[in-house]
mmCIF file of all heavy atoms in Angstrom:
data_model
loop_
_atom_site.group_PDB
_atom_site.id
_atom_site.type_symbol
_atom_site.label_atom_id
_atom_site.label_comp_id
_atom_site.label_asym_id
_atom_site.label_seq_id
_atom_site.Cartn_x
_atom_site.Cartn_y
_atom_site.Cartn_z
ATOM 1 N N ALA A 322 -12.033 -10.740 -8.339
ATOM 2 C CA ALA A 322 -12.287 -11.944 -9.187
ATOM 3 C C ALA A 322 -13.516 -11.692 -10.076
ATOM 4 O O ALA A 322 -13.571 -12.298 -11.157
ATOM 5 C CB ALA A 322 -12.533 -13.137 -8.320
ATOM 6 N N ASP A 323 -14.457 -10.793 -9.697
ATOM 7 C CA ASP A 323 -15.650 -10.551 -10.477
ATOM 8 C C ASP A 323 -15.443 -9.270 -11.282
ATOM 9 O O ASP A 323 -16.496 -8.704 -11.749
ATOM 10 C CB ASP A 323 -16.870 -10.451 -9.569
ATOM 11 C CG ASP A 323 -17.126 -11.740 -8.835
ATOM 12 O OD1 ASP A 323 -17.046 -12.781 -9.498
ATOM 13 O OD2 ASP A 323 -17.439 -11.691 -7.597
ATOM 14 N N ASP A 324 -14.298 -8.758 -11.420
ATOM 15 C CA ASP A 324 -13.941 -7.576 -12.154
ATOM 16 C C ASP A 324 -14.537 -6.328 -11.584
ATOM 17 O O ASP A 324 -14.744 -5.265 -12.216
ATOM 18 C CB ASP A 324 -14.419 -7.712 -13.636
ATOM 19 C CG ASP A 324 -13.483 -7.061 -14.607
ATOM 20 O OD1 ASP A 324 -12.307 -6.845 -14.276
ATOM 21 O OD2 ASP A 324 -13.846 -6.671 -15.738
ATOM 22 N N ARG A 325 -14.787 -6.341 -10.274
ATOM 23 C CA ARG A 325 -15.244 -5.170 -9.537
ATOM 24 C C ARG A 325 -14.049 -4.389 -9.033
ATOM 25 O O ARG A 325 -13.051 -4.997 -8.653
ATOM 26 C CB ARG A 325 -16.209 -5.551 -8.416
ATOM 27 C CG ARG A 325 -17.452 -6.226 -8.795
ATOM 28 C CD ARG A 325 -18.219 -6.728 -7.645
ATOM 29 N NE ARG A 325 -17.431 -7.713 -6.891
ATOM 30 C CZ ARG A 325 -17.976 -8.504 -5.969
ATOM 31 N NH1 ARG A 325 -19.249 -8.398 -5.632
ATOM 32 N NH2 ARG A 325 -17.247 -9.411 -5.358
ATOM 33 N N PRO A 326 -14.076 -3.068 -9.024
ATOM 34 C CA PRO A 326 -12.929 -2.260 -8.620
ATOM 35 C C PRO A 326 -12.642 -2.468 -7.098
ATOM 36 O O PRO A 326 -13.565 -2.598 -6.329
ATOM 37 C CB PRO A 326 -13.351 -0.866 -8.880
ATOM 38 C CG PRO A 326 -14.806 -0.893 -8.938
ATOM 39 C CD PRO A 326 -15.230 -2.240 -9.499
ATOM 40 N N ILE A 327 -11.372 -2.486 -6.783
ATOM 41 C CA ILE A 327 -10.917 -2.501 -5.364
ATOM 42 C C ILE A 327 -10.381 -1.129 -5.073
ATOM 43 O O ILE A 327 -9.309 -0.750 -5.585
ATOM 44 C CB ILE A 327 -9.816 -3.583 -5.158
ATOM 45 C CG1 ILE A 327 -10.225 -4.965 -5.669
ATOM 46 C CG2 ILE A 327 -9.453 -3.671 -3.690
ATOM 47 C CD1 ILE A 327 -9.160 -6.006 -5.602
ATOM 48 N N LEU A 328 -11.060 -0.431 -4.242
ATOM 49 C CA LEU A 328 -10.694 0.976 -4.032
ATOM 50 C C LEU A 328 -10.287 1.248 -2.642
ATOM 51 O O LEU A 328 -10.812 0.684 -1.606
ATOM 52 C CB LEU A 328 -11.947 1.878 -4.348
ATOM 53 C CG LEU A 328 -12.498 1.804 -5.780
ATOM 54 C CD1 LEU A 328 -13.778 2.596 -5.898
ATOM 55 C CD2 LEU A 328 -11.459 2.251 -6.801
ATOM 56 N N LEU A 329 -9.359 2.196 -2.442
ATOM 57 C CA LEU A 329 -9.006 2.654 -1.131
ATOM 58 C C LEU A 329 -9.701 4.005 -0.918
ATOM 59 O O LEU A 329 -9.995 4.726 -1.900
ATOM 60 C CB LEU A 329 -7.474 2.925 -1.061
ATOM 61 C CG LEU A 329 -6.544 1.773 -1.042
ATOM 62 C CD1 LEU A 329 -5.069 2.215 -1.053
ATOM 63 C CD2 LEU A 329 -6.788 0.820 0.130
ATOM 64 N N PRO A 330 -9.978 4.385 0.321
ATOM 65 C CA PRO A 330 -10.527 5.750 0.549
ATOM 66 C C PRO A 330 -9.528 6.726 -0.018
ATOM 67 O O PRO A 330 -8.349 6.578 0.103
ATOM 68 C CB PRO A 330 -10.611 5.805 2.134
ATOM 69 C CG PRO A 330 -10.774 4.367 2.557
ATOM 70 C CD PRO A 330 -9.928 3.594 1.567
ATOM 71 N N ALA A 331 -10.035 7.843 -0.571
ATOM 72 C CA ALA A 331 -9.237 8.837 -1.237
ATOM 73 C C ALA A 331 -8.125 9.340 -0.317
ATOM 74 O O ALA A 331 -6.995 9.529 -0.710
ATOM 75 C CB ALA A 331 -10.088 9.996 -1.744
ATOM 76 N N GLY A 332 -8.485 9.666 0.972
ATOM 77 C CA GLY A 332 -7.484 10.209 1.927
ATOM 78 C C GLY A 332 -6.402 9.226 2.171
ATOM 79 O O GLY A 332 -5.223 9.620 2.241
ATOM 80 N N MET A 333 -6.732 7.964 2.320
ATOM 81 C CA MET A 333 -5.714 6.889 2.581
ATOM 82 C C MET A 333 -4.806 6.785 1.366
ATOM 83 O O MET A 333 -3.568 6.710 1.526
ATOM 84 C CB MET A 333 -6.371 5.573 2.880
ATOM 85 C CG MET A 333 -5.386 4.439 3.093
ATOM 86 S SD MET A 333 -6.207 2.862 3.332
ATOM 87 C CE MET A 333 -6.997 3.053 4.929
ATOM 88 N N ARG A 334 -5.383 6.739 0.184
ATOM 89 C CA ARG A 334 -4.517 6.600 -1.019
ATOM 90 C C ARG A 334 -3.587 7.762 -1.203
ATOM 91 O O ARG A 334 -2.440 7.577 -1.470
ATOM 92 C CB ARG A 334 -5.482 6.559 -2.271
ATOM 93 C CG ARG A 334 -4.723 6.333 -3.609
ATOM 94 C CD ARG A 334 -5.748 6.123 -4.756
ATOM 95 N NE ARG A 334 -5.069 5.850 -5.931
ATOM 96 C CZ ARG A 334 -4.589 6.746 -6.812
ATOM 97 N NH1 ARG A 334 -4.721 8.045 -6.517
ATOM 98 N NH2 ARG A 334 -3.939 6.364 -7.918
ATOM 99 N N GLU A 335 -4.100 9.032 -0.941
ATOM 100 C CA GLU A 335 -3.195 10.226 -1.114
ATOM 101 C C GLU A 335 -2.116 10.159 -0.007
ATOM 102 O O GLU A 335 -0.921 10.473 -0.318
ATOM 103 C CB GLU A 335 -4.034 11.459 -0.985
ATOM 104 C CG GLU A 335 -5.007 11.619 -2.176
ATOM 105 C CD GLU A 335 -5.940 12.821 -1.897
ATOM 106 O OE1 GLU A 335 -5.808 13.528 -0.898
ATOM 107 O OE2 GLU A 335 -6.807 13.035 -2.777
ATOM 108 N N GLY A 336 -2.421 9.781 1.185
ATOM 109 C CA GLY A 336 -1.389 9.669 2.200
ATOM 110 C C GLY A 336 -0.336 8.663 1.934
ATOM 111 O O GLY A 336 0.869 8.971 2.181
ATOM 112 N N ILE A 337 -0.712 7.484 1.369
ATOM 113 C CA ILE A 337 0.271 6.479 1.073
ATOM 114 C C ILE A 337 1.180 6.948 -0.096
ATOM 115 O O ILE A 337 2.397 6.764 -0.049
ATOM 116 C CB ILE A 337 -0.435 5.162 0.756
ATOM 117 C CG1 ILE A 337 -1.172 4.594 1.942
ATOM 118 C CG2 ILE A 337 0.525 4.142 0.170
ATOM 119 C CD1 ILE A 337 -2.025 3.433 1.648
ATOM 120 N N ARG A 338 0.584 7.578 -1.068
ATOM 121 C CA ARG A 338 1.385 8.048 -2.206
ATOM 122 C C ARG A 338 2.316 9.143 -1.774
ATOM 123 O O ARG A 338 3.492 9.273 -2.283
ATOM 124 C CB ARG A 338 0.446 8.531 -3.349
ATOM 125 C CG ARG A 338 -0.300 7.421 -4.055
ATOM 126 C CD ARG A 338 -1.135 7.939 -5.174
ATOM 127 N NE ARG A 338 -0.325 8.491 -6.212
ATOM 128 C CZ ARG A 338 0.180 7.797 -7.211
ATOM 129 N NH1 ARG A 338 -0.057 6.484 -7.320
ATOM 130 N NH2 ARG A 338 0.894 8.339 -8.140
ATOM 131 N N ALA A 339 1.912 9.975 -0.817
ATOM 132 C CA ALA A 339 2.789 11.097 -0.388
ATOM 133 C C ALA A 339 3.926 10.619 0.466
ATOM 134 O O ALA A 339 5.072 11.048 0.296
ATOM 135 C CB ALA A 339 1.907 12.112 0.413
ATOM 136 N N SER A 340 3.692 9.654 1.325
ATOM 137 C CA SER A 340 4.747 9.109 2.239
ATOM 138 C C SER A 340 5.474 7.919 1.653
ATOM 139 O O SER A 340 6.565 7.557 2.113
ATOM 140 C CB SER A 340 4.168 8.729 3.563
ATOM 141 O OG SER A 340 3.231 7.629 3.421
ATOM 142 N N ARG A 341 4.850 7.319 0.617
ATOM 143 C CA ARG A 341 5.410 6.124 -0.014
ATOM 144 C C ARG A 341 5.420 4.933 0.943
ATOM 145 O O ARG A 341 6.138 3.999 0.746
ATOM 146 C CB ARG A 341 6.803 6.374 -0.619
ATOM 147 C CG ARG A 341 6.825 7.338 -1.782
ATOM 148 C CD ARG A 341 8.237 7.821 -2.118
ATOM 149 N NE ARG A 341 9.145 6.703 -2.215
ATOM 150 C CZ ARG A 341 10.494 6.825 -1.988
ATOM 151 N NH1 ARG A 341 10.956 8.018 -1.611
ATOM 152 N NH2 ARG A 341 11.258 5.778 -2.108
ATOM 153 N N VAL A 342 4.642 5.008 2.007
ATOM 154 C CA VAL A 342 4.540 3.961 2.971
ATOM 155 C C VAL A 342 3.134 3.754 3.447
ATOM 156 O O VAL A 342 2.393 4.688 3.689
ATOM 157 C CB VAL A 342 5.443 4.231 4.252
ATOM 158 C CG1 VAL A 342 5.200 3.204 5.293
ATOM 159 C CG2 VAL A 342 6.895 4.317 3.840
ATOM 160 N N ALA A 343 2.678 2.471 3.454
ATOM 161 C CA ALA A 343 1.372 2.089 4.026
ATOM 162 C C ALA A 343 1.639 1.396 5.354
ATOM 163 O O ALA A 343 2.630 0.674 5.501
ATOM 164 C CB ALA A 343 0.626 1.191 3.060
ATOM 165 N N ALA A 344 0.770 1.597 6.335
ATOM 166 C CA ALA A 344 0.938 1.030 7.623
ATOM 167 C C ALA A 344 -0.374 0.359 8.124
ATOM 168 O O ALA A 344 -1.456 0.897 7.847
ATOM 169 C CB ALA A 344 1.352 2.069 8.625
ATOM 170 N N THR A 345 -0.237 -0.734 8.764
ATOM 171 C CA THR A 345 -1.382 -1.363 9.419
ATOM 172 C C THR A 345 -0.913 -1.802 10.836
ATOM 173 O O THR A 345 0.265 -2.056 11.078
ATOM 174 C CB THR A 345 -1.867 -2.628 8.745
ATOM 175 O OG1 THR A 345 -0.804 -3.581 8.536
ATOM 176 C CG2 THR A 345 -2.494 -2.252 7.346
ATOM 177 N N ARG A 346 -1.858 -1.736 11.777
ATOM 178 C CA ARG A 346 -1.547 -2.069 13.195
ATOM 179 C C ARG A 346 -2.594 -3.009 13.787
ATOM 180 O O ARG A 346 -3.738 -2.968 13.386
ATOM 181 C CB ARG A 346 -1.551 -0.757 14.039
ATOM 182 C CG ARG A 346 -0.615 0.334 13.607
ATOM 183 C CD ARG A 346 -0.798 1.618 14.439
ATOM 184 N NE ARG A 346 0.054 2.671 14.035
ATOM 185 C CZ ARG A 346 -0.141 3.490 13.055
ATOM 186 N NH1 ARG A 346 -1.277 3.360 12.281
ATOM 187 N NH2 ARG A 346 0.658 4.433 12.745
ATOM 188 N N SER A 347 -2.155 -3.830 14.653
ATOM 189 C CA SER A 347 -3.019 -4.700 15.412
ATOM 190 C C SER A 347 -2.632 -4.486 16.900
ATOM 191 O O SER A 347 -1.699 -3.750 17.199
ATOM 192 C CB SER A 347 -2.940 -6.096 14.994
ATOM 193 O OG SER A 347 -1.697 -6.719 15.368
ATOM 194 N N GLU A 348 -3.287 -5.232 17.703
ATOM 195 C CA GLU A 348 -2.916 -5.120 19.183
ATOM 196 C C GLU A 348 -1.466 -5.526 19.404
ATOM 197 O O GLU A 348 -0.811 -5.033 20.323
ATOM 198 C CB GLU A 348 -3.878 -5.956 19.957
ATOM 199 C CG GLU A 348 -3.796 -5.756 21.440
ATOM 200 C CD GLU A 348 -4.894 -6.490 22.199
ATOM 201 O OE1 GLU A 348 -6.065 -6.573 21.683
ATOM 202 O OE2 GLU A 348 -4.596 -7.014 23.287
ATOM 203 N N ARG A 349 -0.972 -6.485 18.601
ATOM 204 C CA ARG A 349 0.376 -7.066 18.863
ATOM 205 C C ARG A 349 1.416 -6.764 17.811
ATOM 206 O O ARG A 349 2.619 -6.823 18.097
ATOM 207 C CB ARG A 349 0.290 -8.542 19.025
ATOM 208 C CG ARG A 349 -0.606 -8.997 20.205
ATOM 209 C CD ARG A 349 -0.621 -10.531 20.357
ATOM 210 N NE ARG A 349 -1.374 -10.921 21.545
ATOM 211 C CZ ARG A 349 -1.530 -12.154 21.908
ATOM 212 N NH1 ARG A 349 -0.981 -13.190 21.186
ATOM 213 N NH2 ARG A 349 -2.223 -12.499 22.959
ATOM 214 N N THR A 350 0.998 -6.452 16.591
ATOM 215 C CA THR A 350 1.954 -6.314 15.509
ATOM 216 C C THR A 350 1.765 -4.981 14.720
ATOM 217 O O THR A 350 0.666 -4.373 14.816
ATOM 218 C CB THR A 350 1.905 -7.465 14.503
ATOM 219 O OG1 THR A 350 0.591 -7.503 13.887
ATOM 220 C CG2 THR A 350 2.179 -8.781 15.211
ATOM 221 N N HIS A 351 2.810 -4.624 14.015
ATOM 222 C CA HIS A 351 2.757 -3.376 13.271
ATOM 223 C C HIS A 351 3.470 -3.695 11.926
ATOM 224 O O HIS A 351 4.530 -4.340 11.935
ATOM 225 C CB HIS A 351 3.488 -2.243 13.991
ATOM 226 C CG HIS A 351 3.268 -0.913 13.448
ATOM 227 N ND1 HIS A 351 2.830 0.166 14.169
ATOM 228 C CD2 HIS A 351 3.526 -0.444 12.151
ATOM 229 C CE1 HIS A 351 2.765 1.247 13.379
ATOM 230 N NE2 HIS A 351 3.209 0.907 12.164
ATOM 231 N N THR A 352 2.971 -3.247 10.827
ATOM 232 C CA THR A 352 3.543 -3.499 9.535
ATOM 233 C C THR A 352 3.677 -2.180 8.763
ATOM 234 O O THR A 352 2.769 -1.378 8.669
ATOM 235 C CB THR A 352 2.705 -4.444 8.660
ATOM 236 O OG1 THR A 352 2.513 -5.655 9.396
ATOM 237 C CG2 THR A 352 3.356 -4.796 7.315
ATOM 238 N N LEU A 353 4.855 -1.970 8.176
ATOM 239 C CA LEU A 353 5.119 -0.902 7.190
ATOM 240 C C LEU A 353 5.400 -1.532 5.830
ATOM 241 O O LEU A 353 6.233 -2.459 5.736
ATOM 242 C CB LEU A 353 6.316 -0.034 7.641
ATOM 243 C CG LEU A 353 6.222 0.681 8.954
ATOM 244 C CD1 LEU A 353 7.513 1.465 9.215
ATOM 245 C CD2 LEU A 353 5.046 1.624 8.989
ATOM 246 N N SER A 354 4.770 -0.966 4.811
ATOM 247 C CA SER A 354 5.019 -1.495 3.454
ATOM 248 C C SER A 354 5.208 -0.384 2.468
ATOM 249 O O SER A 354 4.591 0.688 2.617
ATOM 250 C CB SER A 354 3.819 -2.387 2.994
ATOM 251 O OG SER A 354 3.608 -3.483 3.847
ATOM 252 N N THR A 355 6.019 -0.624 1.435
ATOM 253 C CA THR A 355 6.196 0.277 0.396
ATOM 254 C C THR A 355 6.233 -0.466 -0.943
ATOM 255 O O THR A 355 6.469 -1.666 -0.938
ATOM 256 C CB THR A 355 7.547 1.150 0.539
ATOM 257 O OG1 THR A 355 7.540 2.187 -0.348
ATOM 258 C CG2 THR A 355 8.744 0.298 0.378
ATOM 259 N N CYS A 356 6.093 0.219 -2.046
ATOM 260 C CA CYS A 356 6.138 -0.409 -3.323
ATOM 261 C C CYS A 356 7.567 -0.400 -3.909
ATOM 262 O O CYS A 356 8.294 0.555 -3.737
ATOM 263 C CB CYS A 356 5.185 0.297 -4.379
ATOM 264 S SG CYS A 356 3.450 -0.125 -4.152
ATOM 265 N N VAL A 357 7.891 -1.479 -4.545
ATOM 266 C CA VAL A 357 9.129 -1.532 -5.305
ATOM 267 C C VAL A 357 8.753 -1.170 -6.733
ATOM 268 O O VAL A 357 7.944 -1.807 -7.355
ATOM 269 C CB VAL A 357 9.717 -2.975 -5.304
ATOM 270 C CG1 VAL A 357 11.000 -3.056 -6.233
ATOM 271 C CG2 VAL A 357 10.062 -3.419 -3.866
ATOM 272 N N LEU A 358 9.303 -0.032 -7.204
ATOM 273 C CA LEU A 358 8.967 0.456 -8.484
ATOM 274 C C LEU A 358 10.124 0.353 -9.455
ATOM 275 O O LEU A 358 11.287 0.501 -9.120
ATOM 276 C CB LEU A 358 8.562 1.993 -8.374
ATOM 277 C CG LEU A 358 7.462 2.301 -7.404
ATOM 278 C CD1 LEU A 358 7.281 3.806 -7.312
ATOM 279 C CD2 LEU A 358 6.124 1.653 -7.891
ATOM 280 N N ARG A 359 9.755 0.085 -10.701
ATOM 281 C CA ARG A 359 10.703 0.110 -11.785
ATOM 282 C C ARG A 359 10.143 1.162 -12.749
ATOM 283 O O ARG A 359 9.252 0.923 -13.500
ATOM 284 C CB ARG A 359 10.780 -1.239 -12.468
ATOM 285 C CG ARG A 359 11.788 -1.286 -13.611
ATOM 286 C CD ARG A 359 13.208 -1.242 -13.099
ATOM 287 N NE ARG A 359 14.159 -1.618 -14.170
ATOM 288 C CZ ARG A 359 15.459 -1.437 -14.072
ATOM 289 N NH1 ARG A 359 15.971 -0.924 -12.979
ATOM 290 N NH2 ARG A 359 16.255 -1.821 -15.016
ATOM 291 N N GLY A 360 10.739 2.390 -12.667
ATOM 292 C CA GLY A 360 10.089 3.502 -13.444
ATOM 293 C C GLY A 360 8.766 3.812 -12.641
ATOM 294 O O GLY A 360 8.760 4.044 -11.409
ATOM 295 N N GLU A 361 7.664 3.764 -13.347
ATOM 296 C CA GLU A 361 6.335 4.033 -12.747
ATOM 297 C C GLU A 361 5.622 2.702 -12.537
ATOM 298 O O GLU A 361 4.445 2.738 -12.040
ATOM 299 C CB GLU A 361 5.503 4.909 -13.672
ATOM 300 C CG GLU A 361 6.090 6.342 -13.875
ATOM 301 C CD GLU A 361 5.229 7.152 -14.789
ATOM 302 O OE1 GLU A 361 4.256 6.624 -15.307
ATOM 303 O OE2 GLU A 361 5.542 8.369 -14.974
ATOM 304 N N HIS A 362 6.218 1.595 -12.773
ATOM 305 C CA HIS A 362 5.541 0.295 -12.691
ATOM 306 C C HIS A 362 5.813 -0.345 -11.374
ATOM 307 O O HIS A 362 6.895 -0.373 -10.787
ATOM 308 C CB HIS A 362 6.012 -0.663 -13.768
ATOM 309 C CG HIS A 362 5.794 -0.182 -15.181
ATOM 310 N ND1 HIS A 362 4.584 -0.349 -15.750
ATOM 311 C CD2 HIS A 362 6.609 0.454 -16.017
ATOM 312 C CE1 HIS A 362 4.660 0.187 -16.970
ATOM 313 N NE2 HIS A 362 5.873 0.687 -17.156
ATOM 314 N N VAL A 363 4.776 -0.854 -10.695
ATOM 315 C CA VAL A 363 4.829 -1.624 -9.459
ATOM 316 C C VAL A 363 5.257 -3.066 -9.789
ATOM 317 O O VAL A 363 4.547 -3.767 -10.463
ATOM 318 C CB VAL A 363 3.475 -1.656 -8.707
ATOM 319 C CG1 VAL A 363 3.641 -2.434 -7.418
ATOM 320 C CG2 VAL A 363 3.013 -0.261 -8.391
ATOM 321 N N VAL A 364 6.441 -3.446 -9.280
ATOM 322 C CA VAL A 364 6.860 -4.848 -9.502
ATOM 323 C C VAL A 364 6.795 -5.696 -8.240
ATOM 324 O O VAL A 364 6.889 -6.930 -8.279
ATOM 325 C CB VAL A 364 8.327 -4.862 -10.082
ATOM 326 C CG1 VAL A 364 8.361 -4.242 -11.444
ATOM 327 C CG2 VAL A 364 9.286 -4.209 -9.166
ATOM 328 N N ALA A 365 6.680 -5.054 -7.052
ATOM 329 C CA ALA A 365 6.626 -5.850 -5.811
ATOM 330 C C ALA A 365 6.259 -4.872 -4.675
ATOM 331 O O ALA A 365 6.299 -3.661 -4.869
ATOM 332 C CB ALA A 365 7.938 -6.572 -5.502
ATOM 333 N N THR A 366 6.000 -5.418 -3.492
ATOM 334 C CA THR A 366 5.873 -4.645 -2.277
ATOM 335 C C THR A 366 6.941 -5.234 -1.347
ATOM 336 O O THR A 366 7.196 -6.362 -1.315
ATOM 337 C CB THR A 366 4.514 -4.692 -1.653
ATOM 338 O OG1 THR A 366 4.188 -6.037 -1.279
ATOM 339 C CG2 THR A 366 3.446 -4.119 -2.584
ATOM 340 N N LEU A 367 7.506 -4.349 -0.485
ATOM 341 C CA LEU A 367 8.520 -4.675 0.499
ATOM 342 C C LEU A 367 7.956 -4.250 1.850
ATOM 343 O O LEU A 367 7.541 -3.122 2.043
ATOM 344 C CB LEU A 367 9.821 -3.987 0.197
ATOM 345 C CG LEU A 367 10.994 -4.339 1.085
ATOM 346 C CD1 LEU A 367 11.373 -5.777 1.022
ATOM 347 C CD2 LEU A 367 12.211 -3.432 0.754
ATOM 348 N N SER A 368 8.024 -5.089 2.856
ATOM 349 C CA SER A 368 7.421 -4.854 4.179
ATOM 350 C C SER A 368 8.349 -5.150 5.301
ATOM 351 O O SER A 368 9.152 -6.061 5.267
ATOM 352 C CB SER A 368 6.145 -5.693 4.330
ATOM 353 O OG SER A 368 5.242 -5.499 3.255
ATOM 354 N N LEU A 369 8.176 -4.321 6.363
ATOM 355 C CA LEU A 369 8.791 -4.564 7.660
ATOM 356 C C LEU A 369 7.631 -4.921 8.660
ATOM 357 O O LEU A 369 6.633 -4.204 8.736
ATOM 358 C CB LEU A 369 9.496 -3.349 8.188
ATOM 359 C CG LEU A 369 10.851 -3.020 7.468
ATOM 360 C CD1 LEU A 369 11.334 -1.615 7.979
ATOM 361 C CD2 LEU A 369 11.880 -4.081 7.851
#
């Protein structure tokens, strides 16, 4: 909101781009997400 960059750690960003999947875990739940792309444009994310 203050126009400051929102950055991921470089290793995390490269891993997500390579696998095309981001994952988060908690004690009870697990989420897998990927980007819905139209060409090179991100139009949505899809998650399990």
Side-chain angles (χ1 to χ4, degrees):
D323 298 317
D324 216 22
R325 295 173 299 193
I327 307 173
L328 302 175
L329 292 177
M333 178 185 294
R334 182 176 185 273
E335 292 172 2
I337 293 172
R338 290 182 65 88
S340 66
R341 293 166 48 205
V342 173
T345 56
R346 302 174 181 84
S347 70
E348 192 173 319
R349 297 184 178 180
T350 63
H351 192 126
T352 303
L353 298 179
S354 299
T355 191
C356 282
V357 177
L358 302 175
R359 182 70 166 171
E361 297 181 354
H362 299 279
V363 178
V364 295
T366 62
L367 182 64
S368 304
L369 285 172

